[in-house]
Structure formats: C-alpha cells, structure tokens
Amino acid sequence: MKTLSISIILILSPFFGYAQIIGPEDPDIDTFNTIRQNSVSTMAAFGDTVWISPALNRNIGNAVDWFYPENAVEVTNGEGRVFSLSLAQDTVIAGLGFSAESPDGFVPSGYGFYTSINGGESWKFIDFPLDSEPPSSCEPAAETYDSICDIEFQYGDETYTRIRTTVPQQSPPYSVDSKGDVIFAAAWASGLLRSTDFGDSWEKVILPPSSVDNLNPEEDYQWTSSYSGEIINRYDPRGDNNLLGFGVLIDSQDRLWFGSAGGINISENALTAPTDNISWKHISFNNTSDGLLGDWIITIKEDPQTNRIWLTNWIADQPQQQGLVYTDDVGESFTQVLKGERINDIGFKDGYIFAAGDNGLFISEDGGKSWIKSPQIKSPNTFIKPSAQYFTVASTTERVWIGTDDGIASTNDYGFSWEITRVDFPLSGGNRYAPAAREVSTYAYPNPFSPTVHEVIRIKFEVKQQGNVRIRIFDFGMNLVREVENGSFGPGTYEAVWDGVDGKGRKVANAPYLYIIETKGREINGKILVAD
C-alpha cells in the first residue's frame, strides 16, 4: 500500500522486540490495484516507470495504483512468474520461470518469455526453448558413448557434441538483456541463449571451458563430461561451472558480459557474430587482490555515469569470498569492495551506488570507496522488518526502488527518507488479486507464523471511534502471553506487530494463540498459529 500517512503512533513494549501498533493508513487512498506479493526479487526501470516481479506489475511516477497486466495470462492466471526483466522505450522483455516438482522437491525451471512493444498493453508469450528429443535409436544407458544421443555443433572448423536440454528443470532465465531485435538470456543449465529475431527463434551460445582463458574459433577445445565413468569431450553443464548461466549484460560498447558459476566471460562480437565464431575472454577467481572475490557471478551492471562495470561475487568453492568488484579496464583488473557481504543486486542514481544484500542495504556516495549500511527502513506508518533480505535495485527518473522479502522501499533523497509499498489486503472489498474476498473485522498475516522465518506477524484491525485500544495475546488456556499496551487512537485502519516473544522476553512455544482487540464500543478477536 502507498504509505502517505496522516499520523503515526507507536506503542512500544517495555521488553525488547516488537509489540507495537503502526498506522493509521491514509483513508483517502484506494489501493485495490496493489502488488501481488511482498517479496520482490526482480526490478527494472526506464524513465519514470518501474516494473517488478513476480507478476509484471508496473508503476509510473510513484502512483498509488500498480498496473495489472490484463493480457499476460501466463503470470496472472498461470504458474509462470517473472525471473528477469529488460526494458527499452515501450519495450518490455520478461524471462519467466516456475517451480517444477521433482523427486528431490521443487526446482526452479524455465517457463518462457513475454515480450511487449507497446509498454505492456499487449503481450506475446514465447515458450522456453528446448532441444528436440533424441532419435529412437539412441541408447543413453549404453556402456559405449553414442554421439547420436547428443547434438553436434560447429565451432570454428571443428565439430563437437553437447548434451540435449529437453526439459525445463534447472533452466530458469535468471537474467535477460537486449538491444534491438537481439535478446540474450542466462538460463542456468541451458547456459547462454540468443535470439536475433526478438524471441521468435533461439540458439545456444558456446562458452569457454573453465580451464581456458580465451575461446576463439581458430583453436580446438576440450570440454569435460562424464559418461559411464569415463571423461569425454562433450559440452556438458553438469561437468563445468562456466557453462551455468546466471547474469548477462550488453554494455554501452556492445560487449557482452556473461556471468556463470565459473567466473565472468566477455565477448566483443557476441551481439553480431554467428555462434560458431563468437570469441570470449574468460576470467575466474585467482586469489589475488585485484581479481574476482568469487567465481559465482550473479549480477552484472554498468554505471551509466562512469561506464564502470560492477559484478556481484558469490562463493562457488573455497577459498573464495563474497562481495562486489568493479573493473574500469574490461576485466584486466578488479577493485574489491564489501568483502564478506552476499550482495544480490546493485543500482545507481546521481553518483550514489546502492547494493542490495542478504545482510541489508549498503549505500556509497563516492564511487564505492566507502559504504554505509542503511538503518532499518521505516516510513511514516510502516517498516521493513530488520532481518529483511534486500534483493533488487532499480532507479527511475526521480526515485530509487529497492525490492525486499518484506515489501518495496523507495526514496527520492538517496535513502534519507523512505516510502514503503506492501500488499494491501483490506478488511473489506478485497484487491485486484482477490476481488471477492469476504469481509472480516481482523486478520493476522503470515499465518501460520514462524518467528524464526518471518520475524514478525502483523494484525490488521479498524478503530471506528476515537478512544482507548488494548491488544492482548493469550495461549489457548487463556493465559496472557503478551500485551500491546493501552493507548488512545483515532478512527482508521491499523496494524499491530508481534515478534513471537512473550512479556518476559521469551520465545513462545509452537501452538495456537488467541488475540483480543478492545476498542471503544467493541471487542474483536482472531487466531494465530505459531509453527517455528
């Protein structure tokens, strides 16, 4: 919900933790057109417009309403969700994934792509590109390797084989970028995919083996694959981390940067060359002070003011570290910053750099030389929980937007003050995603509630008349567990926040609990299931 509050009242527990009332909501703001969920892992911006995951919601100029993509049925009615975004004038490209069930549980999988050339008014869905099934004569379990089971490809003057990718599991498009009609997608087990006709057809781009520093069509190469206990020369992402794709960027000089679990790969001609002639420079961790901190490259971004290339580094193997690096010389050397922090995304605004990480939001105003960790993000009538993970950053003309697992924060003054957008689900009337929801007097979410996972539970209720408000939480034996202390509140909709700790500072046991809200003229109640 848009957080243009008319007032704020906080009632704090005498003990540590959260037991407080926040609000009220602005009664003049109708937020029927809200976001789909509070956890937002992907954002992209162009001009004054920001797009977000997982449901292709769009906001223009920090408006109250969030756009609902009426024609994008694969994300509004289907199981697809946005994993990646690329924007240009009136153009939106979204990489879609989904969770597929497997014997080992649910795994991220490739679903396809949405493209729009009219700012999202209409959409074209493209199925995720997969290889054809092998010929019926193929015997993949045979003791002797049979190349007919695989796919032959040409690189330079040599012919090689690669494994077939016939299922979408483990191939979500984690990153997309585009220029004109050319689209690149980094799709984990499917590696690097390229379309030169705006998604109508796709081809696999060949990447260097982890063991080499350069790939060029004049040389012969050996990729690593296992078959019946033997190592053979076959292009196989199961045997080489550098073939597993996670990040992609077309920079301002038309170079392509591809981030894998085996380092960073840079190509001068991937935008235009045929796939059998694309050359690469491959850089991996070498444990030096001017190299990569880690081999797993998640995000690649270019600072629009300096053209400096930034990379997030995660640990693929020991003794690698997590953090950020940047390069001013196309990967000849790197400067390492925020060592030890697991950073998910980076963004830029007027010389400021924002780094969104598992451990918080980091901000630099001097090009990355020094960083401050943002205090807990609060707005006039709500907050992002202290343990929130920060996933993504995007900058519109006037604002910086931060996606977290507890809502969206945005600022127009580089982080000195914030507005917070969270899912608005009113007590009556529903929202865009549940328009027929029944009317209730109160509800608590998330419910069941895990203090370890969720940190806080929020209890929504309405005050109809100015007067004293008292909220108490009981176990099912009606023993008082925690009280949000008395206070006088005016009419409006509020949220009470509880952290699963009792009045003596002890974490409560897994069990059902009852909360009772007393306001002037009425008493309402609800249930909470604590299941840590």
Side-chain angles (χ1 to χ4, degrees):
M1 59 190 168
K2 180 69 67 174
T3 57
L4 301 177
S5 172
I6 57 176
S7 64
I8 177 170
I9 304 172
L10 299 181
I11 298 182
L12 299 176
S13 163
F15 302 99
F16 53 83
Y18 283 99
Q20 64 190 53
I21 296 174
I22 56 177
E25 297 177 2
D26 190 331
D28 297 324
I29 293 180
D30 179 6
T31 49
F32 179 82
N33 292 314
T34 185
I35 60 177
R36 184 169 187 169
Q37 66 182 46
N38 288 325
S39 183
V40 175
S41 59
T42 300
M43 286 181 170
F46 190 90
D48 63 352
T49 303
V50 63
W51 292 82
I52 67 167
S53 65
L56 274 177
N57 296 122
R58 177 193 71 196
N59 188 282
I60 301 176
N62 196 33
V64 171
D65 284 339
W66 285 78
F67 167 80
Y68 177 86
E70 298 278 358
N71 303 308
V73 295
E74 304 298 337
V75 293
T76 56
N77 300 325
E79 60 184 343
R81 63 186 193 274
V82 173
F83 273 56
S84 52
L85 288 161
S86 176
L87 306 179
Q89 184 70 48
D90 296 324
T91 298
V92 185
I93 300 167
L96 308 182
F98 74 108
S99 293
E101 193 169 5
S102 75
D104 298 323
F106 287 91
V107 297
S109 306
Y111 195 78
F113 302 88
Y114 260 134
T115 61
S116 175
I117 57 174
N118 55 11
E121 296 306 311
S122 62
W123 299 92
K124 177 181 179 181
F125 177 70
I126 302 164
D127 283 316
F128 188 80
L130 295 170
D131 294 327
S132 60
E133 295 290 338
S136 57
S137 57
C138 167
E139 298 183 36
E143 292 185 5
T144 304
Y145 173 66
D146 185 356
S147 62
I148 196 174
C149 296
D150 295 323
I151 291 178
E152 289 189 345
F153 68 91
Q154 195 82 13
Y155 186 72
D157 294 329
E158 297 296 320
T159 301
Y160 304 92
T161 60
R162 65 171 178 84
I163 64 166
R164 291 177 186 265
T165 306
T166 58
V167 296
Q169 283 81 353
Q170 300 288 6
S171 288
Y174 282 121
S175 180
V176 291
D177 203 1
S178 63
K179 184 169 185 179
D181 288 338
V182 180
I183 305 172
F184 288 95
W188 199 233
S190 286
L192 179 60
L193 305 174
R194 182 180 76 172
S195 172
T196 58
D197 51 17
F198 205 62
D200 287 339
S201 62
W202 295 83
E203 53 195 349
K204 191 180 292 288
V205 177
I206 301 305
L207 298 157
S210 288
S211 58
V212 305
D213 297 330
N214 294 280
L215 184 77
N216 63 76
E218 290 77 32
E219 304 291 333
D220 298 341
Y221 294 94
Q222 180 83 26
W223 285 273
T224 299
S225 182
S226 177
Y227 193 92
S228 297
E230 296 184 9
I231 300 300
I232 61 174
N233 187 8
R234 176 172 62 171
Y235 192 94
D236 182 353
R238 298 170 301 179
D240 193 325
N241 282 346
N242 198 46
L243 312 185
L244 296 168
F246 216 107
V248 66
L249 169 75
I250 303 169
D251 72 15
S252 56
Q253 302 302 310
D254 288 344
R255 302 184 194 93
L256 187 73
W257 300 68
F258 172 78
S260 72
I264 186 68
N265 301 268
I266 309 166
S267 175
E268 300 282 350
N269 67 346
L271 205 61
T272 56
T275 55
D276 61 356
N277 273 276
I278 295 176
S279 299
W280 293 96
K281 176 170 70 173
H282 170 230
I283 303 164
S284 58
F285 171 79
N286 61 7
N287 205 18
T288 60
S289 60
D290 63 348
L292 297 177
L293 284 164
D295 268 341
W296 197 350
I297 310 301
I298 302 301
T299 300
I300 314 164
K301 291 285 183 70
E302 182 175 11
D303 186 330
Q305 286 195 340
T306 65
N307 299 125
R308 175 175 286 172
I309 303 295
W310 290 79
L311 317 172
T312 63
N313 289 188
W314 289 7
I315 297 170
D317 201 358
Q318 297 297 334
Q320 298 173 23
Q321 299 182 65
Q322 299 179 136
L324 272 178
V325 300
Y326 65 79
T327 179
D328 294 313
D329 52 18
V330 199
E332 292 299 316
S333 63
F334 295 91
T335 299
Q336 304 171 345
V337 299
L338 291 179
K339 293 182 183 180
E341 295 293 344
R342 187 177 170 104
I343 303 300
N344 300 307
D345 195 14
I346 43 182
F348 314 94
K349 181 67 174 172
D350 303 332
Y352 284 77
I353 305 172
F354 296 81
D358 284 2
N359 192 37
L361 176 67
F362 301 86
I363 304 172
S364 173
E365 56 179 310
D366 57 9
K369 295 178 182 178
S370 61
W371 297 82
I372 61 167
K373 183 179 178 182
S374 174
Q376 182 189 2
I377 291 179
K378 301 177 181 179
S379 73
N381 64 353
T382 191
F383 60 84
I384 301 294
K385 63 185 182 181
S387 66
Q389 290 179 287
Y390 291 75
F391 293 137
T392 184
V393 185
S395 296
T396 53
T397 306
E398 301 293 336
R399 306 185 73 80
V400 178
W401 300 77
I402 312 292
T404 81
D405 64 354
D406 194 39
I408 301 169
S410 70
T411 176
N412 63 0
D413 55 16
Y414 314 109
F416 291 97
S417 64
W418 296 92
E419 293 183 18
I420 296 173
T421 301
R422 307 184 78 255
V423 172
D424 182 44
F425 199 88
L427 296 169
S428 63
N431 64 22
R432 167 63 75 175
Y433 294 97
R438 66 185 180 91
E439 182 175 344
V440 295
S441 57
T442 180
Y443 65 86
Y445 69 100
N447 201 359
F449 164 54
S450 166
T452 300
V453 174
H454 305 122
E455 188 172 2
V456 295
I457 188 169
R458 302 174 192 251
I459 302 168
K460 195 159 189 170
F461 66 98
E462 183 182 8
V463 174
K464 292 185 177 294
Q465 302 179 57
Q466 175 78 43
N468 195 57
V469 175
R470 186 186 189 194
I471 301 177
R472 292 174 293 167
I473 299 168
F474 298 87
D475 63 22
F476 257 46
M478 293 309 294
N479 300 300
L480 180 63
V481 172
R482 189 74 180 265
E483 182 169 356
V484 178
E485 295 189 352
N486 297 328
S488 182
F489 293 81
T493 301
Y494 297 83
E495 284 187 345
V497 181
W498 179 47
D499 59 1
V501 172
D502 69 16
K504 294 183 179 180
R506 301 171 301 193
K507 185 178 174 181
V508 301
N510 290 349
Y513 294 84
L514 177 72
Y515 64 89
I516 297 176
I517 304 172
E518 299 174 47
T519 66
K520 185 176 181 180
R522 72 171 185 157
E523 179 180 294
I524 55 179
N525 62 72
K527 295 177 182 178
I528 296 170
L529 177 61
V530 174
D532 217 353

